[in-house]
Amino acid sequence: MIRYIFFLLLFLFSYALSFAQLKDFAIEFGTCPTSVFGDNGATSVFINPQKSTTIGGGFFGFQNGIYLRGIWQKSDANFAIPIGFEYIFYRAYHRVPYAPKVTLYLRHFIDVPTVTLGFRYYLFKLPFANVKCYSEIDARGSFVGKSNYSVRIDYEAFDSTVVKSVSYKNAVFRFGGDFRIGFLGEVVYPWYVNIFTNVSYVNLLGRNNKRGELLTPVPDYEPKENPVYNFQLGIGVYYKF
């Protein structure tokens, strides 16, 4: 997967350099904190695997994310074509008092790099700071990395520790889409700031019920792969060539 990411980034930078002399091209990079919502186990708490129930992903709140995009837009057009790369770091760390002088430290993480191709339409322009409001739809292809899950058990009475790491779910690829609303405002030409929010459907196509949920560590007691929805708040720096 790292090899694919490297070639994708190389392609994007080469594409940007090839258009660097054209006024119709821009490049954008920034951060996109991501929160999972919907009817799936990604945000559920970790549960004792001895019980007949699923083990949650443990991804509460916003997860760190970064993105890089190239945007093509004619100077007299009211639309743009963005192509981009996004990387979300799903991380969960939990401390569970299991019994007197016995403590569990649970860790679960998944990396999800995603390529996007979209259509952006500028809705209206505000009467200050050259700010434009836009809506956007994107097709998304996500490489969902393998699930890494570890349990550390501290036996304080005996001053001993046991660590178990598992990776039951291998990396998979899923097609999805998103809808975005944002504001693009000029700071000092040719520098702009892009502030946006979007909702994405990660696994619209390609779901595999045999694997269980997409963002949980263990497939036990998971009869199907439910839809995974993400909510993002993002801010980026936009440079127009």
Side-chain angles (χ1 to χ4, degrees), residues 10-23 25 241:
L10 182 63
F11 167 76
L12 288 174
F13 279 116
S14 300
Y15 189 72
L17 290 174
S18 68
F19 281 85
Q21 302 303 317
L22 298 181
K23 63 180 180 179
F25 189 79
F241 291 103

Side-chain angles (χ1 to χ4, degrees), residues 136-158:
E136 180 179 319
I137 56 173
D138 294 286
R140 303 169 61 89
S142 297
F143 299 88
V144 182
K146 68 177 182 179
S147 178
N148 295 279
Y149 180 61
S150 67
V151 180
R152 191 184 91 194
I153 308 175
D154 284 0
Y155 297 95
E156 299 168 16
F158 302 100

Side-chain angles (χ1 to χ4, degrees), residues 131-224:
V131 176
K132 294 182 179 179
C133 176
Y134 68 87
S135 63
E136 180 179 319
I137 56 173
D138 294 286
R140 303 169 61 89
S142 297
F143 299 88
V144 182
K146 68 177 182 179
S147 178
N148 295 279
Y149 180 61
S150 67
V151 180
R152 191 184 91 194
I153 308 175
D154 284 0
Y155 297 95
E156 299 168 16
F158 302 100
D159 194 24
S160 65
T161 298
V162 176
V163 178
K164 180 181 180 181
S165 298
V166 297
S167 183
Y168 289 112
K169 296 184 178 182
N170 294 322
V172 292
F173 182 80
R174 296 290 185 265
F175 282 108
D178 69 49
F179 176 75
R180 175 177 309 201
I181 291 288
F183 292 90
L184 182 66
E186 180 179 333
V187 180
V188 178
Y189 185 85
W191 293 96
Y192 297 76
V193 170
N194 184 20
I195 300 174
F196 63 87
T197 180
N198 79 338
V199 175
S200 62
Y201 191 161
V202 179
N203 53 347
L204 177 63
L205 299 175
R207 293 199 296 271
N208 182 356
N209 292 335
K210 293 181 179 180
R211 186 179 177 277
E213 297 284 13
L214 186 63
L215 298 177
T216 59
V218 180
D220 297 345
Y221 311 109
E222 296 182 344
K224 66 177 182 178

